[in-house]
């Protein structure tokens, strides 16, 4: 019994510690988002050709980066879960996938918003947008599988297998859409990223990339902590309730 | 070596035997593929001038949808009397079970496609005697089966299983669908081997990668 | 691999018990089916598992049979970790479940041949003929399973479980669907299995049948072993009352 109490205390301390980390991270994230918004929307010079429209670049690119980062984490955590079988990896994969779907949606939205004034249409089957769209479908299926799949370990293993297959599929989808575009339209489709980039623009992009990564880390930590706490409470309830 | 082949062939033989007796997979697949082609013809303008543009899409839409139907049936049959659990109880590698089930599904799909092709050739004036196209057909079908079998084994245990299989399958199979349709377009336009060899290469990469991944992860999917 | 399993099979006096379960927990998401099971079953013994519906009997059999993964805890079969030596463990186990694991459109013989090949049974045809004889199936082996009555299907399922001469039998309510004659056949088969040094775990609702061959009884309740006792030192009258109290619905 004594060890149980001790375990509870250390766990309690760990939870408190995590709480402080989360609060600190939230503060940092808020400041960085504000700075990035200022830099991207006001401080950076307007683009010589595209004008203010180009400013979405500071958000579209970091969002895309976070999307891929999230699915990369799903991939790694899925492998770790299948190998180790510990629930923590499963919680991490699920949490990263949820945030990844959110960001994949934003990739498509910001891509379209950017594309409209540049191309004159909302949608072009560029390799980037095509891949993002397929990615979005794959991880939406992942979330559906989580909901409709069997409860407990089997459902988690299903999701892990899809998390692995889905991520490996991404480069193959990308490559096939490049081949496909070449076939339909000889010559490269010139994307919005085609123009030259000023140094100050690069600075803003870098800051924005760091901010989005911090924001992602914060969201992931929150989601992961919540999921873990839910699992602990459920377990207590099952055992003693 | 025989520890792999003997049980793998036993699973395959069992599936072929069951299909020969019950005819629950290939016949419905064929009928469905035919229906899709007919509906597709109504949905698009079947003027001769447009056939080259429409034919590859019609062919692969009908093959993939029929394939999905076949894949659903394969594991639905196993589930009925606990056949899947019976397989799981055997002291055989899970990759062996995967390969056996995969070959069965693959052969059923190929069979349905082989019957469909002449019909298709008649309807769309499609040139059949192109060996490069056969290579692609086999590779693309193998790719569908490679991911289809593992997703089918998952979908059979989900709620809304009829929805789950296509939702899982189609996004992952996109590269194969693109490759198959593009290469078939080349065949219809009478272009040479060099035009579709890259699609064959792409499909081969897909097949090798996902056969390996699915065979390794199949065991994780089976147990409760 | 084969020689190892053969020695394990014969060397029943070895230090490792037939079955050893430690801290077994199985959860299905929010539902905890098994809440910590500990069991040791020596060779040559039969464990009868009683318990109301939903007490976790079937889940326990599934986990022991490698059909379900333990969430926590360990299962050892003849000293082998069931997860790390899954193929070896499966060779030692024979399972009779609620399902027969048979294919309707194959004949009984084809079904048995298929499983014999999967288990690598040597001389499968003799084995199938012998089991068909023992289970009173000789006349029905070449009929499709679909055309057999439930009782006969169940018998074929038992033959399937015994094909590879397993050392540890796991039976989930084996008597359901069997006529009295078949039940008596099964009982004698199980007795012979025990006499040869094999072990078995079975679940049942019938106290009378359970006590007939059990060496030890256990009552499962809400995923835990609520009661366990050696058959020899069991007060049958008291156990009947206890079991009825456990299975009674409501407070």
């Amino acid at each position: 019994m004594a060890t149980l109490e001790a375990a509870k205390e250390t766990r309690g301390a760990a939870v408190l510690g995590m709480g402080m980390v989360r609060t600190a991270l939230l503060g940092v994230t808020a400041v960085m988002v504000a700075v990035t918004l200022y830099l991207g929307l006001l401080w950076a010079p307007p683009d010589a050709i595209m004008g203010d429209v180009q400013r979405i670049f500071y958000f579209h690119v970091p969002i895309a980066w976070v999307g891929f980062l999230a699915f990369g984490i799903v991939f790694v955590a899925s492998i770790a879960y299948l190998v180790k079988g510990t629930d923590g990896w499963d919680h991490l994969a699920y949490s990263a996938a949820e945030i990844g779907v959110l960001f994949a949606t934003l990739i498509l939205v910001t891509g379209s918003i950017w594309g409209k004034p540049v191309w004159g249409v909302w949608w072009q089957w560029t390799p980037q947008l095509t891949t993002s769209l397929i990615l979005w479908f794959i991880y939406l299926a992942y979330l559906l599988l989580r909901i409709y799949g069997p409860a407990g370990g089997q459902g988690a293993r299903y999701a892990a297998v899809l998390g692995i297959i889905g991520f490996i599929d991404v480069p193959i989808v990308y490559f096939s859409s490049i081949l496909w575009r070449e076939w339909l339209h000889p010559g490269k489709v010139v994307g919005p990223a085609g123009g030259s980039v000023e140094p100050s623009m690069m600075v803003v992009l870098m800051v924005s990339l760091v901010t989005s990564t911090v924001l992602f880390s914060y969201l992931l930590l929150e989601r992961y902590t919540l999921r873990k706490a839910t699992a602990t409470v459920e377990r207590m309830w099952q055992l003693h309730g | 070596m025989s520890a792999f082949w003997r049980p793998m062939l036993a699973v395959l033989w069992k599936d072929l035997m069951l299909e020969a007796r019950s005819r629950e997979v290939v016949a419905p697949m064929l009928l469905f593929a035919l229906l899709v082609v007919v509906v597709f013809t109504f949905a698009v303008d079947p003027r001769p001038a447009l056939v080259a543009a429409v034919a590859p899409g019609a062919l692969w839409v009908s093959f993939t949808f029929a394939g999905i139907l076949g894949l659903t049936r394969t594991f639905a049959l196993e589930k009925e009397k606990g056949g899947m659990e019976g397989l799981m109880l055997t002291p055989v590698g899970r990759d062996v079970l995967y390969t056996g089930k995969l070959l069965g599904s693959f052969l059923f799909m190929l069979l349905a496609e082989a019957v469909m092709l002449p019909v298709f050739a008649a309807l769309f004036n499609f040139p059949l005697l192109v060996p490069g196209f056969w290579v692609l057909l086999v590779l693309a079908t193998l790719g569908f089966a490679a991911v289809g079998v593992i997703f089918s084994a998952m979908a059979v245990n989900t709620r809304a299983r009829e929805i789950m299989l296509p939702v899982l399958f189609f996004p992952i199979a996109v590269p194969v669908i693109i490759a198959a349709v593009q290469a078939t377009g080349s065949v219809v336009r009478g272009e040479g081997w060099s035009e579709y060899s890259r699609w064959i290469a792409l499909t081969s990469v897909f097949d090798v990668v996902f056969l390996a991944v699915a065979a390794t992860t199949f065991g994780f999917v089976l147990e409760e | 691999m084969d020689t190892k399993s053969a020695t394990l099979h014969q060397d029943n006096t070895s230090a490792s018990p037939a079955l050893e379960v430690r801290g077994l927990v199985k959860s299905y998401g929010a539902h905890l089916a098994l809440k910590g099971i500990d069991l040791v079953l020596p060779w040559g013994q039969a464990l009868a598992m009683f318990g109301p519906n939903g007490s976790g009997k079937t889940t326990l059999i599934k986990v022991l049979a490698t059909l379900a993964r333990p969430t926590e805890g360990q299962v050892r079969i003849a000293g082998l970790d069931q997860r790390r030596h899954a193929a070896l463990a499966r060779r030692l186990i024979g399972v009779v479940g609620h399902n027969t694991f048979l294919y309707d459109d194959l004949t009984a013989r084809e079904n048995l041949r298929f499983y014999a090949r999967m288990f690598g049974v040597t001389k499968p045809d003799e084995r199938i003929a012998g089991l068909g004889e023992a289970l009173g199936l000789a006349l029905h082996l070449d009929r499709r399973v679909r055309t057999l009555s439930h009782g006969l299907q169940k018998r074929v399922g038992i033959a399937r479980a015994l094909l590879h001469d397993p050392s540890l039998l796991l039976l989930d309510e084996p008597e359901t669907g069997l006529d009295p004659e078949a039940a008596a056949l099964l009982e004698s088969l199980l007795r012979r299995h025990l006499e040869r040094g094999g072990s078995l775990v079975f679940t049942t609702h019938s106290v009378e049948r359970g006590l007939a061959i059990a060496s030890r009884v256990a009552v499962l309740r809400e995923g835990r072993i609520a009661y366990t006792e050696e058959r020899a030192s069991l007060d049958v009258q008291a156990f009947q009352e206890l079991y009825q109290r456990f299975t009674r619905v409501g407070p």
Side-chain angles (χ1 to χ4, degrees):
Chain A
M1 240 21 217
T3 50
L4 187 63
E5 289 304 317
K8 273 184 188 159
E9 258 172 41
T10 48
R11 168 161 283 195
V15 168
L16 267 182
M18 279 314 267
M20 278 159 70
V21 170
R22 272 156 54 210
T23 314
L25 196 55
L26 175 61
V28 173
T29 309
V31 171
M32 288 185 73
V33 167
V35 169
T36 310
L37 283 173
Y38 168 76
L39 289 179
L41 296 179
L42 299 169
W43 183 77
D47 186 77
I49 305 157
M50 289 185 267
D52 282 333
V53 171
Q54 176 268 344
R55 290 181 191 280
I56 203 167
F57 171 72
Y58 303 125
F59 304 97
H60 177 72
V61 174
I63 284 170
W65 149 245
V66 168
F68 282 90
L69 176 66
F71 297 135
I73 290 176
V74 175
F75 176 66
V76 174
S78 295
I79 293 176
Y81 176 67
L82 290 188
V83 174
K84 302 250 179 207
T86 42
D87 287 344
W89 290 113
D90 179 51
H91 298 326
L92 183 63
Y94 196 171
S95 307
E98 283 177 322
I99 302 167
V101 167
L102 174 68
F103 278 77
T105 312
L106 291 174
I107 298 173
L108 298 176
V109 171
T110 54
S112 288
I113 294 174
W114 193 3
K116 179 66 178 157
V118 177
W119 299 319
V121 287
W122 292 106
W123 188 263
Q124 281 266 27
W125 292 97
T126 65
Q128 290 85 357
L129 277 186
T130 308
T131 309
S132 303
L133 180 66
I134 301 306
L135 208 65
W136 185 77
F137 275 120
I138 291 175
Y139 289 93
L140 219 53
Y142 179 97
L143 296 187
L144 271 187
L145 189 59
R146 288 279 187 176
I147 296 166
Y148 291 127
Q154 192 176 23
R157 276 178 271 120
Y158 279 16
V161 169
L162 182 58
I164 293 167
I165 291 181
F167 195 70
I168 295 175
D169 203 36
V170 172
I172 305 181
V173 171
Y174 184 68
F175 191 65
S176 65
S177 53
I178 288 176
L179 283 180
W180 177 47
R181 294 307 295 169
E182 273 181 0
W183 181 260
L184 287 179
H185 301 278
K188 251 205 151 98
V189 177
V190 179
S196 65
V197 182
E198 267 186 54
S200 63
M201 290 177 166
M202 273 322 279
V203 171
V204 178
L205 179 64
M206 287 303 145
V207 172
S208 183
L209 279 170
V210 173
T211 302
S212 62
T213 312
V214 173
L215 173 66
F216 168 70
S217 314
Y218 170 68
L219 291 175
L220 185 62
L221 186 63
E222 279 291 348
R223 209 71 193 90
Y224 175 79
T225 317
L226 180 63
R227 184 148 276 132
K228 203 162 181 175
T230 311
T232 311
V233 170
E234 260 182 9
R235 190 57 183 281
M236 297 290 237
W237 178 254
Q238 290 168 357
L239 275 175
H240 309 292
Chain B
M1 209 52 188
S2 73
F4 183 89
W5 288 102
R6 282 182 52 112
M8 194 274 279
L9 291 174
V11 173
L12 176 62
W13 173 86
K14 183 258 312 170
D15 277 353
L16 296 181
M17 203 69 180
L18 283 174
E19 176 58 14
R21 298 225 174 119
S22 70
R23 300 198 178 83
E24 284 184 45
V25 181
V26 177
M29 265 170 87
L30 259 175
L31 187 61
F32 190 69
L34 203 59
L35 271 173
V36 172
V37 169
V38 171
V39 170
F40 205 92
T41 319
F42 291 141
V44 298
D45 193 346
R47 266 179 302 176
L50 290 175
V51 160
V54 170
L59 182 77
W60 286 100
V61 166
S62 96
F63 283 1
T64 43
F65 277 76
I68 285 273
L69 198 69
L71 287 165
T72 316
R73 293 301 300 152
T74 322
F75 278 101
L77 286 177
E78 289 286 0
K79 186 106 176 139
E80 272 165 16
K81 281 247 171 113
M84 206 61 231
E85 294 188 335
L87 290 178
M88 286 163 67
L89 288 172
T90 61
V92 159
R94 309 293 100 157
D95 51 340
V96 178
L97 299 181
Y98 169 77
T99 316
K101 292 303 288 181
L102 166 91
L103 282 184
S105 296
F106 172 61
L107 288 180
F108 295 151
M109 284 161 114
L110 270 190
L111 189 61
E113 289 167 1
V115 178
M116 274 304 291
L117 272 178
V119 177
F120 203 79
L123 279 176
F124 289 89
N125 195 25
F126 183 81
L128 274 185
L129 300 173
V130 184
F133 174 73
W134 300 343
V135 173
L136 178 101
L137 185 76
V138 169
L139 287 174
T141 307
L142 184 61
F144 289 152
V147 291
V149 163
I150 193 165
F151 286 152
S152 169
M154 283 156 71
V156 81
N157 282 326
T158 58
R159 281 176 286 146
R161 61 165 101 152
E162 296 83 2
I163 308 286
M164 263 335 276
L165 181 58
V167 163
L168 293 168
F169 174 82
F170 279 116
I172 300 291
V174 157
V176 180
I177 296 173
I178 291 179
V181 172
Q182 294 307 314
T184 308
S186 296
V187 173
V188 170
R189 288 188 294 271
E191 287 157 349
W193 168 261
S194 62
E195 290 303 323
Y196 47 82
S197 60
R198 56 169 136 176
W199 299 115
I200 288 181
L202 181 80
T203 313
S204 309
V205 170
F206 184 95
D207 290 3
V208 170
V209 168
F210 286 115
L211 280 174
V213 173
T216 337
T217 52
F218 193 60
F220 293 106
V221 169
L222 290 179
E223 287 158 282
E224 270 181 21
Chain C
M1 293 268 275
D2 282 334
T3 51
K4 195 175 176 190
S5 88
T7 47
L8 279 167
H9 186 86
Q10 273 141 28
D11 183 17
N12 289 344
T13 53
S14 73
S16 312
L19 175 69
E20 199 179 353
V21 180
R22 293 267 169 253
L24 181 64
V25 175
K26 176 63 187 174
S27 83
Y28 291 97
H31 171 63
L32 255 191
L34 299 175
K35 300 181 179 173
I37 303 281
D38 293 284
L39 267 182
V40 178
L41 183 67
W43 290 108
Q45 293 210 8
L47 172 68
M49 283 279 188
F50 298 92
N53 293 327
S55 59
K57 297 193 305 286
T58 296
T59 306
L60 179 60
I61 295 283
K62 274 187 173 177
V63 173
L64 298 182
T66 73
L67 292 176
R69 241 169 223 251
T71 307
E72 277 168 33
Q74 222 188 14
V75 177
R76 285 178 175 279
I77 288 158
L80 295 167
D81 185 298
Q82 177 217 41
R83 300 224 57 80
R84 262 187 290 161
H85 304 280
L88 269 177
R90 287 185 186 116
R91 231 175 249 288
L92 298 174
I93 303 172
V95 182
V96 177
H98 287 284
N99 281 317
T100 52
F101 312 134
L102 301 173
Y103 297 96
D104 274 345
D105 286 305
L106 299 183
T107 66
R109 191 189 301 279
E110 284 166 342
N111 267 293
L112 295 175
R113 271 207 192 121
F114 167 64
Y115 281 107
R117 273 163 98 188
M118 297 300 280
F119 278 94
V121 174
T122 47
K123 298 188 182 169
D125 289 336
E126 287 161 39
R127 182 76 188 147
I128 291 167
L131 281 169
E133 203 66 51
L135 282 156
L137 283 167
L139 293 172
H140 307 288
L141 277 178
D142 290 307
R143 285 171 59 190
R144 285 194 199 178
V145 168
R146 188 185 292 287
T147 66
L148 297 175
S149 70
H150 264 283
L152 286 176
Q153 291 191 13
K154 189 95 192 186
R155 291 193 203 192
V156 181
I158 292 167
R160 186 204 54 78
L162 298 173
L163 262 182
H164 56 291
D165 195 17
S167 316
L168 173 64
L169 283 175
L170 305 169
L171 309 99
D172 197 5
E173 296 179 16
E175 78 274 8
T176 44
L178 288 184
D179 52 57
E181 185 210 338
L185 273 176
L186 176 65
E187 201 181 304
S188 69
L189 274 173
L190 295 182
R191 278 188 200 288
R192 208 174 327 144
H193 174 76
L194 290 169
E195 280 158 19
R196 290 172 56 218
S199 299
L200 60 99
V201 178
F202 67 105
T203 70
T204 181
H205 279 302
S206 155
V207 174
E208 193 190 335
R209 280 207 190 288
L211 294 186
I213 51 171
S215 348
R216 171 171 276 277
V217 298
V219 180
L220 262 186
R221 194 179 180 226
E222 289 174 12
R224 288 196 178 92
I225 293 183
Y227 175 86
T228 178
E229 185 62 78
E230 293 290 336
R231 171 67 182 89
S233 46
L234 189 75
D235 178 347
V236 176
Q237 186 76 40
F239 180 72
Q240 292 267 22
E241 279 166 26
L242 178 91
Y243 179 60
Q244 266 158 23
R245 196 151 50 80
F246 273 134
T247 50
R248 197 164 46 212
V249 183

